[in-house]
Amino acid sequence: EEMLHKDTKIAFDRFIADYSKCTNTKQSHTSDKFVLVNEGDKNDISNSFLVHTLDDFNEHTQEIILPYFCFENDIARVHRKIRIAIEKGIKNFRVTSLYHFDLLSMYKGLKISVSYPFPIANSFSVELVKELTNSYKFKLNSTQLWIELEQKELINIIYI
């Protein structure tokens, strides 16, 4: 068990090293709080970022979480809502799927956070996110590891 903890620390340190190579990352970002609220609901958590969906953002929204999936016939509507949000001054978007990068590609200087269900489960996916954000000239705020990773999986998947 002691060896497992040592291996976990080594794997975690390697992941942090890879992650820190991403543009504009902060080691302390894990302490930031993001609160997703429904339309009309109040955010009662102090010092947090207010997150809305594309369907219910308003003038107080600090970040928009993009839809997990999108049917082909709905892409134009999602793209239109992204354009409207950007025109209203929103620059922070939470990417949850690969197709979001193309939807956001025409806008430069956006701040991107990548989270579930986007599968960040190994160093290759961290590198992919880094390459995509750099190629589209986005700033990467944060990434969330795959929610179901366990200690042994972290060691085995990231650093075989």
Side-chain angles (χ1 to χ4, degrees):
E1 188 172 304
E2 186 175 313
M3 184 63 172
L4 180 62
H5 293 297
K6 182 179 176 187
D7 289 344
T8 301
K9 182 174 179 356
I10 291 169
F12 184 71
D13 289 344
R14 287 181 184 165
F15 173 79
I16 291 299
D18 286 346
Y19 179 75
S20 66
K21 292 176 190 174
C22 297
T23 57
N24 296 328
T25 57
K26 303 183 295 182
Q27 294 295 330
S28 63
H29 196 77
T30 55
S31 64
D32 290 343
K33 299 175 212 159
F34 296 89
V35 179
L36 178 64
V37 296
N38 293 319
E39 185 176 8
D41 288 351
K42 183 178 157 198
N43 176 13
D44 293 325
I45 300 176
S46 61
N47 299 320
S48 63
F49 294 96
L50 184 59
V51 181
H52 283 106
T53 68
L54 270 176
D55 293 321
D56 63 5
F57 70 90
N58 59 43
E59 68 276 1
H60 303 293
T61 301
Q62 294 171 294
E63 182 176 88
I64 290 180
I65 187 169
L66 297 173
Y68 293 167
F69 66 92
C70 181
F71 295 111
E72 190 66 30
N73 62 352
D74 212 18
I75 290 175
R77 182 188 67 82
V78 171
H79 199 260
R80 185 179 69 254
K81 286 190 171 209
I82 288 171
R83 181 182 44 78
I84 291 167
I86 289 171
E87 287 172 356
K88 291 187 182 257
I90 295 173
K91 299 289 184 199
N92 298 308
F93 288 86
R94 185 161 296 268
V95 169
T96 61
S97 186
L98 193 56
Y99 80 94
H100 295 156
F101 285 99
D102 279 340
L103 283 178
L104 297 169
S105 66
M106 66 187 326
Y107 308 102
K108 304 301 178 220
L110 297 178
K111 295 177 183 173
I112 303 296
S113 296
V114 179
S115 69
Y116 180 83
F118 198 107
I120 305 291
N122 55 51
S123 59
F124 294 116
S125 53
V126 171
E127 276 301 310
L128 174 64
V129 167
K130 178 183 172 186
E131 289 172 16
L132 287 169
T133 54
N134 286 337
S135 69
Y136 288 121
K137 309 234 184 306
F138 299 147
K139 294 177 182 161
L140 183 62
N141 279 341
S142 65
T143 58
Q144 177 187 23
L145 285 175
W146 185 250
I147 197 166
E148 296 176 0
L149 286 179
E150 294 181 9
Q151 189 176 40
K152 281 184 176 180
E153 291 171 335
L154 180 63
I155 295 166
N156 292 331
I157 293 173
I158 295 178
Y159 300 102
I160 292 178

